[in-house]
Amino acid sequence: GAVVSQHPSWVICKSGTSVKIECRSLDFQATTMFWYRQFPKQSLMLMATSNEGSKATYEQGVEKDKFLINHASLTLSTLTVTSAHPEDSSFYICSARPERGSYEQYFGPGTRLTVT
Amino acid sequence: AQSVTQPDIHITVSEGASLELRCNYSYGATPYLFWYVQSPGQGLQLLLKYFSGDTLVQGIKGFEAEFKRSQSSFNLRKPSVHWSDAAEYFCAVGSARQLTFGSGTQLTVLP
C-alpha cells in the first residue's frame, strides 16, 4: 500500500516551453501533497505544499508563477513548469500525506526534467 | 526551526562489514525522525521511522536506528552490509507541516 506514481519519469523540452508533471496517490487519498526539487548530489528541497482544493503554499524563493501547482483531487497533483529554461533542469519528486496531522509522507519515483 | 545534519558526505565500507551513518537533528519539540534510501535516479524509500517509544527502531533490509535524545542523534546501523546497499541515505526530521532533510550520505560498498 501507499504507492505514489509520477508521470512522466523523464522529459526533455525546449527552452521557453511548458512541462506538466503528474503525481498520483494510487491506493490512498492524499489530503496534502508536496513537491521537491533535487539537484545532482544534493538533498531534497521543498518547493511547495498543496492541499486538495486550495492554493499551494510555496517556500521562500520559489516562483509561484513559474511553478504552477494544482491539487485538483485527493489523488492527483500536478506541477507545471512554465517557460522552462535550462536552469530549471532538475529531478522533481512529489510526495503525498494520507491524512492531516500525519507525519509520514510517501514519495513518488521522481521526474527528470532536462531543458535544452 | 528544525534542521538535520549528516556529517559524512561519503562513506565506503567493504561488503560484510558493519555500517553506521550519523544523523544529528535540531528540533524544538519531540522529534519525528526518518531514514530514507535513494538509489540513482529513483525516489525515496522509507527505511525506518521513530515517533515515540522504544528508542531502538528496526527497519527494512536489516537496518536499525537508535534515538538518543541527550545527543540529538538518530544514527542508522547495519551489522553486515550487502553490495545492494550502495545508495544515498537521507535522514529527515518531520513536523505536521513538512519534512526537513539532511544533505545525505553516499554509501559505496567494496566487494
Side-chain angles (χ1 to χ4, degrees), chain A residues 7-21 81 83-86 88-92 110-116:
Chain A
H7 179 80
S9 55
W10 60 270
V11 57
I12 302 173
C13 71
K14 292 188 176 181
S15 186
T17 62
S18 296
V19 173
K20 180 184 285 188
I21 302 170
V81 183
S83 187
H85 290 283
D88 299 323
S89 298
S90 190
F91 194 55
Y92 293 88
T111 296
R112 171 74 59 194
L113 170 63
T114 301
V115 184
T116 62

Side-chain angles (χ1 to χ4, degrees), chain A residues 4-116:
Chain A
V4 176
S5 70
Q6 278 184 245
H7 179 80
S9 55
W10 60 270
V11 57
I12 302 173
C13 71
K14 292 188 176 181
S15 186
T17 62
S18 296
V19 173
K20 180 184 285 188
I21 302 170
E22 292 186 348
C23 176
R24 293 182 185 272
S25 55
L26 299 184
D27 52 2
F28 66 98
Q29 293 187 325
T31 57
T32 306
M33 287 184 169
F34 303 84
W35 287 95
Y36 295 85
R37 184 172 181 176
Q38 185 180 32
F39 290 105
K41 305 293 184 182
Q42 294 189 26
S43 188
L44 282 74
M45 299 301 296
L46 180 65
M47 298 174 65
T49 303
S50 73
N51 292 297
E52 185 265 339
S54 60
K55 289 184 178 180
T57 302
Y58 291 81
E59 296 299 303
Q60 190 173 8
V62 178
E63 300 175 62
K64 60 182 180 182
D65 294 331
K66 181 167 189 61
F67 298 100
L68 301 179
I69 292 172
N70 185 297
H71 194 158
S73 75
L74 286 172
T75 59
L76 174 64
S77 176
T78 59
L79 167 68
T80 301
V81 183
T82 63
S83 187
H85 290 283
E87 57 265 31
D88 299 323
S89 298
S90 190
F91 194 55
Y92 293 88
I93 303 176
C94 75
S95 70
R97 191 164 67 190
E99 56 190 43
R100 292 189 195 280
S102 169
Y103 294 84
E104 298 198 51
Q105 296 180 24
Y106 301 99
F107 287 82
T111 296
R112 171 74 59 194
L113 170 63
T114 301
V115 184
T116 62

